[in-house]
Amino acid sequence: LPAKLEKGKIIALDAPFALNRGGKVRRMIPASGKQTVRLNRKYIFLTTWTNRWNEMTGGCFEGSNDSHFRRADVLWRISELPVYRNEVKLQTSKSYRYVRYISPGISKSALAELFFFDKEKELKGEAIGEGLTPSSQKRVFDRDWKTIGDPRTENYWVGLDLRERCHLDKIVYYPHNDDDFITPGDLYELFYYNEGN
């Protein structure tokens, strides 16, 4: 965007432009009228993130009534690239006191958030795990997408002691990400150049 600084304010001089490899200028003039668009992100995907998320393939979620998970049931195994918000519907009639995510053996890819539900009610408990510090374990359940459970080792796990046996019907998890996704409920503004305005 060609602009000048005048009395501490940036003043646009003309429409934004892109310069292609051959040196040709493409001016970006907004079209008149309105149209409906669906936006999923504020910025393009970078392979840095998709490479990290791909490392989670093979990771799984388990439920157990043994705090050491010696007898555990696999509730869900990640078989495809997880992207941003991932929701898993469970088909189990069992109840569990302990639930966890286990990373695949080669992965240190972190979780940003992890939720367990029964009939749309979020289940709460005490954060537990191995390969993460106690404070890092808590960050997986702090409802802040920008903080992560930062694993210190590969083959880590993180979960909850629900303090009593609970039925589960849904898991929602967010891999570590750049927070450039559009989040429903947030307010966004779109700025564009229109003859100096």
Side-chain angles (χ1 to χ4, degrees):
L1 175 67
K4 67 177 179 178
L5 188 63
E6 191 173 283
K7 295 181 182 176
K9 294 182 87 176
I10 296 175
I11 309 297
L13 299 174
D14 199 359
F17 68 90
L19 190 64
N20 71 17
R21 289 183 183 182
K24 186 174 178 181
V25 173
R26 180 173 59 91
R27 297 178 75 222
M28 299 176 193
I29 310 292
S32 59
K34 294 180 179 178
Q35 59 180 304
T36 300
V37 295
R38 181 182 179 95
L39 301 176
N40 296 313
R41 280 185 59 84
K42 297 168 272 186
Y43 192 71
I44 60 170
F45 263 132
L46 298 176
T47 55
T48 305
W49 292 108
T50 54
N51 289 344
R52 285 185 192 179
W53 299 334
N54 189 53
E55 286 183 5
M56 295 180 74
T57 305
C60 68
F61 299 90
E62 289 185 340
S64 180
N65 289 306
D66 172 16
S67 62
H68 298 287
F69 289 86
R70 286 174 293 229
R71 294 175 303 281
D73 295 328
V74 175
L75 303 171
W76 180 261
R77 189 172 302 279
I78 300 171
S79 58
E80 297 177 355
L81 178 77
V83 177
Y84 192 51
R85 184 183 189 277
N86 302 271
E87 183 174 312
V88 176
K89 300 281 188 179
L90 301 176
Q91 303 294 326
T92 180
S93 58
K94 293 185 179 180
S95 296
Y96 303 99
R97 175 171 171 172
Y98 305 97
V99 287
R100 69 177 179 177
Y101 163 75
I102 307 176
S103 75
I106 59 165
S107 177
K108 286 177 69 176
S109 189
L111 284 177
E113 289 299 313
L114 175 58
F115 304 94
F116 297 94
F117 292 91
D118 179 29
K119 297 185 179 77
E120 298 304 316
K121 179 186 173 189
E122 183 186 343
L123 301 174
K124 305 277 189 173
E126 178 186 350
I128 55 176
E130 286 183 7
L132 303 93
T133 64
S135 61
S136 190
Q137 293 167 18
K138 290 177 183 173
R139 287 197 291 270
V140 176
F141 304 98
D142 66 0
R143 305 189 73 81
D144 183 348
W145 327 122
K146 297 181 198 79
T147 65
I148 62 170
D150 195 15
R152 295 181 164 192
T153 62
E154 296 175 347
N155 202 25
Y156 75 94
W157 67 266
V158 63
L160 289 175
D161 174 356
L162 300 172
R163 299 189 181 93
E164 62 181 353
R165 293 187 182 199
C166 297
H167 179 259
L168 290 86
D169 59 16
K170 184 169 73 173
I171 299 170
V172 175
Y173 67 99
Y174 294 75
H176 180 203
N177 65 83
D178 56 7
D179 196 37
D180 264 336
F181 290 89
I182 301 296
T183 305
D186 285 357
L187 181 65
Y188 298 92
E189 290 182 291
L190 176 64
F191 293 92
Y192 63 94
Y193 177 87
N194 186 15
E195 297 180 0
N197 297 319

